[in-house]
Amino acid sequence: ILTCHSNEVPDAEPECDPSSSTAAASLWNDRMALAGSNDFTIEVQDYVPFIQCKARFQSPSFHVDQPIQLQVFVRADCPHPVRFNKLAVSLSNQEYNQWCVVESSGQENMCLSPGATRCYNFSFVAKTEDVGKKIEMTGIEVMLGSETGRCVFLSWRGAGGDAASTHEALQAIRSLRHRGRGTEGRQELDWDSLTIQHSTMIISRVPKISVQLSHQPPALNNEMYCINFTVQSQEEAVARDVKLTAGLKPGQEANLSHTTYVTLNSSKVCDDSDPALLPDIPLGDLNPGEKMERCVYVKCVSTGQRVFLFHVAYTIDTTVEGQQINCKCHKVKENIIIVCAHICFSLKFEPLDRVAVDIPFLLMTDLLSSSPWPILLATSSLQLVTMTSKTAQLHSQLEQVVLQTGECASECFCLQCPPVANSSNTVATGQYLISWRSPDSPLVQTAVTLPHVILETVPLYIHAELPSFGRVRESLPVRYHIENRTALVQEVEMAVEPSDAFMFSGLKQVRLRILPGSEQQMLYNYYPLMAGYQTLPQLNISLPRCPTTNTHTLRRFLPQRIFVKPQGRQLDDASIAAA
C-alpha cells in the first residue's frame, strides 16, 4: 500500500486470500471517503521495515575550517522497487538542516531496487560559535508519494537503524528470502558492517604558529625567575588580536596559587598584589612569518614543583567551500619548573622572610647533585651587590668536595644589609658562583642569581651577651644591649617574665630612655635550677612611641634556650695533682 502514489485501490498480492483482499479494498475506499489529511507519519525504528536506513558522520570530530561530511545509507528490503521523493536529516542545530535534504527531480530518479543500498552524501560548513559543541542527528525522514496525493513519511530517530539490526534470526531469514533474486555479481555494500555515528564534535582550527619557551632551571625560592616566551606566525594571513595567558596552571594544589606570583614588569619585584595567572595579555597583530618575544617573570616563595601554562589565542579569516569564516585559534604550551630552596636565616638559624637593615643574618645555599656520576666542586664564591659580609675574607666552604648522586652540600654566609638610599623595600643580593667538573672533563663555572631580599627597618635592636652554657645553682650573667635605631628619643619598657627553671637578680620591671643612635645595657644574673636545655626568662618589651612594633618583633633577636650542666664537685689542687 505504501508504494502506491495515487488514491486508487492497490492490486493485491497473488497469494492473498480473496476475502482478505475484498476487506482491504473496502477499508481503503472508506478511508478515501473520509475528509482529512493525506499525510501519514510512521516511526519504523521499532519494526522491521521494508526500507532500512543508517546514517553517520564521517568523523567523530571536525575542525571548524573543515566541511562536515555526513552520509545516509538507505536500502530496500522488499520484493518490489521502491521510489521515494525526499530524504531529510534533522540535526540538533536546526540551522544546518537546509544542507541535509535531497529531493527527486527530473534528472535524478530516487528509486531503490530490492536488496540494493544507496548512499547520499551531505556537506555543510559549521559556524564558529559552535566550536566546542556537539552536533547530533535527531532524526531521518523519507517521504513516499507526492505532495498532491497521499504522502507517507517514514521516520527514524537519531541516526537510523531498526529492530532487525539486533535480531540475527530476522537477518538470516531476510538473507534466505533475498537469495536467488538476481543480485549475484552486483557489488553491494555490506549492510551489517555499516556503523552508525550519530554525533560529531566541532573543534577549533589547527593553529599555524610556533611557541617556544626558554629559561635556565632550577628556579630559586624568592627569585624573580625569567621565562623567555617566543611566538612566530606560520599563517598565510595576518593573525589578529593575539592574546597571551601565562602563569600557574589551574587545578594544582591550592597553596601554590598563594605562593606564586607572575608579572611582565621587570623593574618591580613581585609581591602579594600580583596574581598567579595573567589572563588575556594583548600582544597586537602578528604578520606572516613575524616573530614576537616577551619575558615573563615568576616569583615563588615556597619550594616544590609547579606546572606553568602559556596559552596563545588569535583570530584569523579563512575560506571553507567558498564561505569566509572568522576562526579563533589557540595553542597551549606547558612547562614544569622546580623551585629549589635558598633560605635566609637569623643568627639563631630561624628562617627569615624579611631581613632587617644593619642587622646580621645568615645566607644558606644548598647544592643537590642529580648527576649519575661524581661531581667535584672546585670552589665557590659570592658576588654581592648591596649586601656586605661580616667576614673579612669569604673562603669557599665547599672547596674540593665530591658529591655523589643524590648528595647535598650546604654553605653558610653571614651577611648584613646597610641602609638603602632609594628607600626601596627590596634589594638584589648578587650571584653565587660554583666551579665544578665531572670526571675527565674541563672545569665549568655556573652562576646562580640570588633572589631579591625584602627589607624592613626596626626601631630598636636588642641582642644578648651570655656564656655558651650555664651550671645548676651558679650565677649566669646575661647582658642585654639595647640600641635605638631611630632619630627620636625612645622610651623602652622592659619586664622579665618569671620562669620555673631560673631565679634571677635584677630589676624585674624597668623603664628606659635611649637617645637616637645610642645604646643602653641591662645586666641580669640568672640562677639555673634544673639541668638540660632550658628556656631563658623572656623579656616583654614595648615602645610607647612606636605602637606598631610588638614584643615578638623585638624579642626575635634574643636567644630563647641555653644548655645547663648539672652541679659537680669542685676539685682542689691536691686532688688534681694526685690524679
Side-chain angles (χ1 to χ4, degrees):
I1 293 176
L2 294 176
T3 61
C4 184
H5 292 181
S6 65
N7 293 337
E8 298 178 358
V9 178
D11 296 332
E13 297 288 337
E15 61 271 16
C16 284
D17 182 60
S19 59
S20 299
S21 300
T22 303
S26 176
L27 292 173
W28 179 276
N29 292 327
D30 292 342
R31 179 63 185 173
M32 293 301 100
L34 294 175
S37 174
N38 288 333
D39 297 339
F40 299 91
T41 300
I42 304 175
E43 291 190 4
V44 295
Q45 199 156 19
D46 297 330
Y47 308 99
V48 182
F50 58 91
I51 292 181
Q52 292 177 281
C53 177
K54 290 183 180 181
R56 67 184 180 190
F57 288 100
Q58 292 192 16
S59 175
S61 62
F62 289 91
H63 295 283
V64 70
D65 61 335
Q66 294 177 329
I68 297 177
Q69 305 289 338
L70 174 63
Q71 289 181 318
V72 178
F73 300 92
V74 288
R75 171 182 171 180
D77 193 20
C78 58
H80 303 290
V82 178
R83 289 181 176 87
F84 60 96
N85 293 333
K86 184 178 179 181
L87 185 145
V89 181
S90 300
L91 301 172
S92 55
N93 188 337
Q94 299 182 5
E95 296 184 22
Y96 301 133
N97 290 352
Q98 56 181 321
W99 309 109
C100 301
V101 179
V102 60
E103 297 186 71
S104 63
S105 60
Q107 291 79 17
E108 182 180 0
N109 185 13
M110 300 174 68
C111 180
L112 297 176
S113 301
T117 301
R118 294 193 65 175
C119 175
Y120 293 91
N121 295 290
F122 302 100
S123 177
F124 59 91
V125 179
K127 299 181 179 297
T128 55
E129 54 266 26
D130 284 342
V131 172
K133 297 180 181 179
K134 184 181 290 186
I135 298 179
E136 298 181 350
M137 298 185 210
T138 57
I140 303 173
E141 196 170 67
V142 174
M143 185 182 79
L144 286 75
S146 62
E147 295 180 355
T148 57
R150 297 242 171 214
C151 293
V152 177
F153 296 93
L154 303 183
S155 174
W156 287 266
R157 298 183 301 273
D162 53 54
S165 61
T166 56
H167 293 75
E168 296 180 0
L170 291 176
Q171 292 179 9
I173 294 173
R174 180 184 302 155
S175 174
L176 293 173
R177 188 175 58 191
H178 289 169
R179 186 174 300 170
R181 289 185 179 175
T183 59
E184 295 83 354
R186 226 174 24 217
Q187 295 293 330
E188 293 290 343
L189 294 171
D190 185 4
W191 181 263
D192 294 332
S193 66
L194 294 176
T195 58
I196 292 176
Q197 177 72 39
H198 76 283
S199 65
T200 189
M201 179 70 73
I202 308 301
I203 57 180
S204 60
R205 176 179 176 271
V206 177
K208 296 181 181 179
I209 59 171
S210 64
V211 176
Q212 299 293 331
L213 302 175
S214 63
H215 56 102
Q216 296 179 349
L220 296 179
N221 188 17
N222 214 33
E223 175 190 5
M224 287 286 286
Y225 189 69
C226 178
I227 303 176
N228 292 307
F229 165 81
T230 304
V231 56
Q232 185 172 15
S233 173
Q234 299 165 352
E235 298 281 3
E236 298 178 357
V238 177
R240 297 180 286 104
D241 195 20
V242 182
K243 293 183 179 180
L244 168 67
T245 297
L248 190 70
K249 182 181 178 181
Q252 302 181 69
E253 295 181 15
N255 62 329
L256 292 182
S257 61
H258 301 295
T259 58
T260 306
Y261 313 110
V262 182
T263 184
L264 298 179
N265 186 6
S266 61
S267 61
K268 173 182 172 293
V269 179
C270 294
D271 53 25
D272 295 346
S273 63
D274 293 295
L277 181 68
L278 296 174
D280 296 333
I281 305 166
L283 302 180
D285 296 341
L286 201 60
N287 295 319
E290 185 181 356
K291 182 185 292 186
M292 188 182 297
E293 296 184 3
R294 292 290 186 275
C295 287
V296 179
Y297 295 91
V298 176
K299 178 182 175 183
C300 305
V301 296
S302 66
T303 60
Q305 179 174 291
R306 290 164 169 82
V307 180
F308 285 87
L309 172 75
F310 293 84
H311 177 276
V312 182
Y314 64 95
T315 304
I316 194 167
D317 295 327
T318 186
T319 303
V320 184
E321 291 192 339
Q323 299 184 34
Q324 187 173 6
I325 60 174
N326 184 269
C327 294
K328 294 182 179 180
C329 306
H330 61 89
K331 190 166 187 176
V332 178
K333 193 89 170 181
E334 294 183 2
N335 204 288
I336 299 176
I337 295 179
I338 299 176
V339 183
C340 296
H342 190 89
I343 309 174
C344 294
F345 290 92
S346 68
L347 295 181
K348 298 187 296 179
F349 268 89
E350 295 175 341
L352 295 176
D353 55 354
R354 296 173 182 270
V355 170
V357 175
D358 262 345
I359 295 177
F361 67 95
L362 300 177
L363 177 71
M364 179 78 74
T365 60
D366 295 328
L367 298 177
L368 175 64
S369 174
S370 58
S371 171
W373 47 79
I375 295 294
L376 172 65
L377 303 178
T379 185
S380 61
S381 63
L382 274 181
Q383 286 187 351
L384 300 174
V385 177
T386 309
M387 305 289 177
T388 59
S389 173
K390 296 292 290 182
T391 308
Q393 282 284 344
L394 283 177
H395 297 288
S396 174
Q397 304 163 33
L398 303 180
E399 191 169 348
Q400 301 303 314
V401 172
V402 177
L403 290 182
Q404 303 293 335
T405 304
E407 289 185 341
C408 182
S410 299
E411 200 166 6
C412 187
F413 305 93
C414 186
L415 306 179
Q416 184 174 333
C417 183
V420 182
N422 57 3
S423 301
S424 174
N425 63 339
T426 56
V427 294
T429 306
Q431 285 189 325
Y432 181 54
L433 304 179
I434 311 116
S435 296
W436 59 277
R437 66 179 178 86
S438 55
D440 303 325
S441 64
L443 203 63
V444 178
Q445 187 176 66
T446 301
V448 179
T449 302
L450 300 177
H452 285 64
V453 174
I454 302 175
L455 294 180
E456 66 172 349
T457 303
V458 292
L460 200 72
Y461 176 47
I462 178 169
H463 60 98
E465 179 184 339
L466 73 166
S468 57
F469 64 90
R471 194 180 295 273
V472 174
R473 299 188 182 279
E474 292 185 8
S475 175
L476 176 66
V478 178
R479 186 181 301 274
Y480 294 101
H481 300 263
I482 309 157
E483 300 178 15
N484 183 1
R485 295 294 183 91
T486 66
L488 301 174
V489 176
Q490 292 292 341
E491 291 188 357
V492 182
E493 296 179 354
M494 298 177 56
V496 182
E497 294 181 356
S499 172
D500 295 337
F502 290 89
M503 294 189 300
F504 72 93
S505 64
L507 297 174
K508 182 177 181 181
Q509 190 169 0
V510 66
R511 185 171 185 145
L512 304 175
R513 282 190 177 183
I514 307 177
L515 297 176
S518 299
E519 175 186 307
Q520 289 278 6
Q521 298 182 12
M522 292 294 298
L523 178 64
Y524 288 91
N525 285 320
Y526 295 143
Y527 295 89
L529 302 177
M530 293 179 286
Y533 281 101
Q534 303 297 335
T535 301
L536 288 168
Q538 299 298 302
L539 294 182
N540 280 329
I541 311 167
S542 61
L543 301 178
R545 295 188 179 182
C546 295
T548 58
T549 305
N550 54 34
T551 300
H552 175 74
T553 303
L554 300 175
R555 203 164 57 183
R556 62 181 176 171
F557 304 111
L558 298 177
Q560 305 292 323
R561 297 163 66 86
I562 192 171
F563 182 73
V564 178
K565 293 183 177 181
Q567 189 176 26
R569 293 183 300 174
Q570 299 291 335
L571 299 177
D572 53 15
D573 295 339
S575 300
I576 296 175

